[in-house]
Amino acid sequence: MDVISRLCVALSSTAITCSVLSAPLMASEDIVLEGVKAQQVQAALQTQIEAADEQTRATLQELRQLERETRLLARENSALSARLNTQASRQQRMSNALDTLEETRAALPQMEADMTRQLTQWIARDLPFLQDERMARVASTDSEGLESVERIGELLGVWRQELAYGREVDTWRGRLVVESGEREVDFLRIGRIGFYYLTPDGREGGVWLAEEARWQSLDESARREVRNGLRMTNDQRAPALLTLPLSVAIFDPPVNDSAAESGSGGEQ
């Protein structure tokens, strides 16, 4: 019995020892399991964070793209608005022009007749140079194949040519008709202020007097100046100052009393 008792005591002690040893092992397994679960949770959380970051980046990229498109649309709208305003103004002007088109068309024939009359009178009263040529230029605008607008355009061209005569110095050989007969002479024209002639031999010359509508003979010194003018116009002489009587009268502007008193002791 003693042997059996000691055996039982020994077995009991071993069981207690095993029980004591198994307790730390079970605790270690729980810690490991908790660590694994924590890592899994951390990994899942990291995945969620990364997914959120990726979505955020995509959203930011989309916002930047939308901002660029918005700015581009704003610029295009601004440019389009300016063009639309310009087109609207142009259409308004065209509308106004159309409103008065019929009135303008109705006034064109009278305008054409007035311009023709004024040109004809101008040439008739002007210095008598190239009159046949100038009258023919006016008559050429009266063509049956031209509309009123085209005729007015032609008449404006004639006006421009007439205005150009006032800025030109010209010379040509032509026929002079006087009381004593007809002869060939050289003409010199200085704008619209001087119109002269000189015979080829230089012995006779004259200046046209516009107020009296006649030629006046020139003396030797004046004929010499006309000859110099002819040579200068034909590039046969260097430009120089000419001393010649004028075809038109040049009047001094009127002087008021206060201006007269302030200059030269009041002399006029």
Side-chain angles (χ1 to χ4, degrees):
M1 290 296 291
D2 294 334
V3 174
I4 293 172
S5 299
R6 286 196 296 274
L7 180 60
C8 290
V9 171
L11 290 174
S12 298
S13 299
T14 301
I16 292 171
T17 302
C18 290
S19 176
V20 172
L21 291 174
S22 63
L25 290 176
M26 291 178 63
S28 297
E29 289 177 357
D30 292 340
I31 292 173
V32 170
L33 290 175
E34 290 178 358
V36 171
K37 289 180 180 180
Q39 291 178 355
Q40 292 175 346
V41 171
Q42 182 66 30
L45 182 60
Q46 184 65 34
T47 301
Q48 292 177 358
I49 292 173
E50 292 176 354
D53 289 344
E54 185 64 28
Q55 184 177 3
T56 301
R57 284 193 294 271
T59 302
L60 290 175
Q61 183 66 26
E62 183 178 0
L63 286 175
R64 293 191 186 99
Q65 180 65 26
L66 288 174
E67 288 178 352
R68 287 193 293 270
E69 293 177 356
T70 300
R71 288 194 295 270
L72 179 60
L73 286 174
R75 288 195 297 270
E76 291 180 350
N77 286 335
S78 177
L80 181 59
S81 297
R83 289 196 297 270
L84 289 176
N85 290 334
T86 301
Q87 290 293 331
S89 299
R90 181 171 179 270
Q91 290 179 0
Q92 184 62 42
R93 290 195 301 270
M94 292 178 64
S95 178
N96 294 337
L98 289 174
D99 291 339
T100 59
L101 180 59
E102 293 302 325
E103 297 179 4
T104 303
R105 286 185 179 278
L108 286 179
Q110 185 60 45
M111 186 184 303
E112 175 191 346
D114 291 343
M115 292 178 67
T116 302
R117 186 185 69 257
Q118 291 171 6
L119 271 170
T120 303
Q121 293 176 353
W122 172 278
I123 295 172
R125 296 171 181 172
D126 196 16
L127 300 182
F129 63 92
L130 306 176
Q131 281 192 324
D132 292 340
E133 176 183 332
R134 295 159 68 191
M135 287 293 189
R137 190 179 294 122
V138 176
S140 67
T141 63
D142 187 16
S143 175
E144 295 182 357
L146 296 178
E147 297 290 338
S148 292
V149 175
E150 295 173 325
R151 290 194 187 96
I152 290 175
E154 295 289 336
L155 288 169
L156 288 174
V158 177
W159 271 115
R160 284 191 289 269
Q161 179 61 46
E162 287 295 322
L163 293 175
Y165 284 136
R167 301 187 296 269
E168 296 174 350
V169 177
D170 193 15
T171 180
W172 67 96
R173 177 161 290 188
R175 307 296 297 180
L176 174 66
V177 179
V178 292
E179 295 180 357
S180 59
E182 182 177 344
R183 67 181 66 182
E184 187 176 70
V185 298
D186 292 317
F187 289 103
L188 173 66
R189 179 180 59 84
I190 302 176
R192 280 193 163 86
I193 62 173
F195 186 35
Y196 315 91
Y197 79 86
L198 188 67
T199 57
D201 59 10
R203 294 183 178 180
E204 295 183 30
V207 56
W208 179 260
L209 301 180
E211 289 188 353
E212 302 176 19
R214 68 177 182 86
W215 290 102
Q216 176 176 289
S217 298
L218 294 175
D219 58 20
E220 173 59 27
S221 61
R223 293 198 302 272
R224 185 166 53 251
E225 290 292 287
V226 172
R227 186 181 302 108
N228 291 337
L230 292 170
R231 290 175 178 174
M232 285 188 291
T233 305
N234 293 322
D235 295 328
Q236 297 175 353
R237 178 186 172 93
L241 181 65
L242 298 176
T243 303
L244 285 167
L246 298 179
S247 295
V248 296
I250 303 298
F251 298 99
D252 293 331
V255 180
N256 57 33
D257 294 340
S258 60
E261 292 176 357
S262 63
S264 300
E267 295 182 358
Q268 298 186 11

